[in-house]
Amino acid sequence: MRAFSYERAASVEAAAQAAAHNPESRFIAGGTNLLDLMKLEIEKPSHLIDVNGLGLDTIESTAEGGLRIGAVVRNTDLAAHETVRRDYGVLARALVAGASGQLRNRATTAGNLLQRTRCPYFYDPNQPCNKRLPGSGCSAIGGITRQLGVVGTSEACIATHPSDMAVAMRALDAIVDTVKPGGERRSIPIADFHRLPGNTPHIETELQQGEIITSVVLPPPIGGKHIYRKVRDRASYAFALVSVAAVIQPDGTGKVAVGGVAHKPWRIEAAESELPNGARATVSILMADARPTDQNSFKVDLLERTLGAVLAGARG
Amino acid sequence: MVATATVPVTSTSAGSQTRLQSEASVVDIHCTRVAFAVNGTRQELEIDNRTTLLDALREHLHLTGTKKGCDHGQCGACTVIVDGRRINSCLTLAVMHDGDEVTTIEGLGQPGNLHQMQAAFVKHDGFQCGYCTPGQICSAVVVLEEIKANIPSHVTEDLTEQAEITTAEIRERMSGNICRCGAYSNIVDAITEVAGVRT
């Protein structure tokens, strides 16, 4: 690990300004992904800004009847929160489907959104990777691709976003609230927060240098049946091959986002009009632009069957 | 490359308390003072920022009960209890724990005064080589607390009901502790006995 200086930020604004002044700095909250990558020298910050002491650890109702989740609320606390369990069950289910108990006790809401891919070529500093070293090429294309992306991919990158939580938040139309170094606040719909790889897979979100996430806001509850179904190679503590986050209403309409298939939580609102017609019709739209490899084309079939199971569960 | 000239104290420099103090001014920007309690004893360290809580415990405080397995949060051998929560001590920096209370396997119980979970692991032969055992035991103690506190898991059937202590819950919640000897069934037996669950 490279040496770095460390500060405990005094305020959100001070943290944003400190980060703006040093492009080699990183915010740290849980650290469960960042430190992992720093040990491999994939992340090499010269300065860490600890944002744990800034009062961003609360969950509160909004005036509109939604829920404001502080950026450093731990995954465990969010999953255990009474309102989340009752009104946003798909989020609680997604959270407890991810990582291990120990990791969820440290991992935070904003950090979960900002997780880097688990593409094995990104994690191997000996291999070219456009995400790790822009312009160096993509070792995954033509390599071992079973776990990797099938839709929204590019010639530069076929990595997936690893989060479960973010997939549920995409289905719930969450809003990411931030503060920029100048003090300006903005609210980014989660649909726009994560980027597709295109020619710049190293730029993963819409955040600007120094911009800090302060909270994630859920709109008022929409009722319905909340289901998160994750398919993985072992029963626990593994990343998704595919996952489905769904809120299905009694009349068969609903919202669906899927994980394990793209560089961001994948949702196409137009596909949801097909939900009453079943999984095949819905997935045919969701995956219309899929470009799977021979090794991961199974994900398209698996997604259809997983959504089929979700819709059957919603009826039952 | 690491600028070793300006960072004479690294996380692996065991027993270097004297150097730490004498060279503190030289290494200032890469070191931070931190104080936390470990097993009830207050500890103050001026420590390289890179030092994980795991390395601080093992290399600086010489509490070698906590084990380094993968050092990447995948195996759970380094599990310790911080402010009542189990965490991977390899994926957190020591300097981030100012004011915290850390409990390691040495603090749970000692020879002649075993924690009931330690005694249950011995009784049920919940290990073979023993390397993952401190992490397994720290994790297991808190798993039972988490269920009592109604923290849900992936296998909790109804999110609006109180979580129950079942073997399915224990297996799911212990999935972050890997045992490559494969003592899992005996580990589950030990935990269920402490939990008072009939198997």
Side-chain angles (χ1 to χ4, degrees):
Chain A
M1 198 188 302
R2 307 281 178 99
F4 55 87
S5 49
Y6 167 85
E7 71 172 286
R8 299 176 186 120
S11 70
V12 169
E13 291 72 19
Q17 280 170 16
H21 289 141
N22 183 354
E24 291 184 356
S25 65
R26 291 283 184 279
F27 299 125
I28 189 165
T32 51
N33 191 205
L34 182 60
L35 288 174
D36 184 24
L37 294 169
M38 285 168 64
K39 289 180 182 192
L40 297 165
E41 299 195 353
I42 294 168
E43 290 275 7
K44 293 170 279 195
S46 65
H47 184 63
L48 286 185
I49 304 163
D50 189 332
V51 296
N52 281 298
L54 305 181
L56 301 176
D57 57 351
T58 59
I59 302 174
E60 54 197 33
S61 300
T62 65
E64 295 75 32
L67 201 65
R68 179 179 299 279
I69 303 156
V72 307
V73 169
R74 310 290 157 177
N75 286 177
T76 296
D77 295 318
L78 186 55
H81 193 271
E82 188 184 355
T83 307
V84 175
R85 295 161 80 150
R86 187 189 62 220
D87 296 336
Y88 305 98
V90 66
L91 177 57
R93 287 292 182 197
L95 283 160
V96 295
S100 67
Q102 290 97 312
L103 289 167
R104 291 192 296 270
N105 280 339
R106 285 298 290 173
T108 64
T109 308
N112 194 315
L113 288 178
L114 296 175
Q115 274 186 90
R116 309 298 304 275
T117 185
R118 262 58 178 195
C119 175
Y121 299 98
F122 173 72
Y123 260 79
D124 181 353
N126 297 309
Q127 304 268 1
C129 169
N130 287 320
K131 189 181 279 297
R132 179 164 30 74
L133 188 65
S136 62
C138 174
S139 310
I141 295 172
I144 297 168
T145 57
R146 180 174 175 273
Q147 296 272 357
L148 302 178
V150 298
V151 70
T153 53
S154 73
E155 296 301 317
C157 181
I158 58 171
T160 58
H161 194 271
S163 173
D164 293 294
M165 183 201 81
V167 180
M169 286 182 166
R170 180 70 181 87
L172 292 168
D173 295 305
I175 306 284
V176 182
D177 279 355
T178 70
V179 171
K180 290 187 188 180
E184 182 195 340
R185 295 173 180 273
R186 67 167 171 160
S187 298
I188 309 168
I190 193 164
D192 304 328
F193 182 80
H194 295 104
R195 295 163 55 104
L196 289 178
N199 293 321
T200 54
H202 59 291
I203 305 173
E204 295 171 347
T205 71
E206 287 298 310
L207 293 179
Q208 297 164 11
Q209 180 65 36
E211 188 171 8
I212 182 171
I213 299 173
T214 52
S215 61
V216 176
V217 177
L218 302 180
I222 55 170
K225 199 137 186 180
H226 287 234
I227 298 175
Y228 188 78
R229 193 172 179 112
K230 178 177 181 178
V231 182
R232 44 188 161 175
D233 282 331
R234 58 185 183 196
S236 183
Y237 199 19
F239 291 101
L241 291 168
V242 303
S243 68
V244 172
V247 182
I248 305 295
Q249 302 297 337
D251 64 2
T253 63
K255 301 179 181 218
V256 172
V258 300
V261 295
H263 200 255
K264 59 190 285 186
W266 191 254
R267 179 177 172 195
I268 295 178
E269 277 79 349
E272 291 162 10
S273 61
E274 294 292 337
L275 280 172
N277 299 324
R280 176 158 295 181
T282 308
V283 170
S284 71
I285 298 177
L286 267 175
M287 292 291 119
D289 294 327
R291 291 190 304 164
T293 67
D294 290 346
Q295 291 170 33
N296 67 19
S297 59
F298 77 94
K299 285 192 175 187
V300 178
D301 296 331
L302 185 58
L303 184 61
E304 182 184 322
R305 291 168 192 165
T306 306
L307 180 59
V310 166
L311 296 177
R315 285 192 298 269
Chain B
M1 288 293 102
V2 173
T4 47
T6 56
V7 191
V9 181
T10 71
S11 59
T12 53
S13 59
S16 57
Q17 293 296 314
T18 313
R19 282 177 63 203
L20 269 169
Q21 282 162 13
S22 63
E23 299 183 10
S25 58
V26 180
V27 297
D28 210 27
I29 71 161
H30 294 136
C31 286
T32 302
R33 181 171 294 277
V34 62
F36 47 76
V38 181
N39 302 327
T41 302
R42 181 181 157 84
Q43 302 285 354
E44 254 193 77
L45 297 167
E46 174 92 20
I47 201 164
D48 187 308
N49 294 333
R50 289 174 290 185
T51 315
T52 60
L53 180 58
L54 172 62
D55 285 338
L57 292 169
R58 288 183 55 87
E59 308 294 341
H60 293 259
L61 302 174
H62 311 299
L63 291 165
T64 53
T66 307
K67 297 294 186 263
K68 181 180 284 195
C70 68
D71 210 26
H72 285 277
Q74 297 171 5
C75 76
C78 68
T79 302
V80 299
I81 305 165
V82 176
D83 291 343
R85 295 226 158 164
R86 57 186 172 129
I87 68 170
N88 300 112
S89 61
C90 76
L91 282 188
T92 190
L93 297 172
V95 297
M96 296 173 71
H97 290 281
D98 200 52
D100 288 356
E101 292 192 13
V102 181
T103 303
T104 68
I105 191 71
E106 292 94 339
L108 279 182
Q110 303 77 37
N113 180 32
L114 294 182
H115 186 282
Q116 59 174 337
M117 191 66 78
Q118 292 171 313
F121 268 64
V122 173
K123 176 181 168 186
H124 289 277
D125 205 13
F127 45 80
Q128 194 175 116
C129 81
Y131 198 80
C132 72
T133 311
Q136 297 277 0
I137 290 174
C138 284
S139 203
V141 166
V142 186
V143 159
L144 298 182
E145 297 298 321
E146 288 172 358
I147 297 173
K148 280 180 202 155
N150 199 21
I151 290 168
S153 86
H154 179 60
V155 300
T156 306
E157 284 193 17
D158 188 339
L159 288 176
T160 61
E161 298 285 326
Q162 168 67 43
E164 291 179 5
I165 298 177
T166 63
T167 52
E169 285 280 7
I170 290 167
R171 286 177 182 277
E172 162 60 24
R173 290 167 193 265
M174 290 296 291
S175 70
N177 292 86
I178 310 295
C179 170
R180 287 295 79 142
C181 299
Y184 295 114
S185 63
N186 293 0
I187 291 170
V188 172
D189 288 349
I191 300 171
T192 51
E193 178 175 290
V194 174
V197 178
R198 267 186 235 176
T199 51

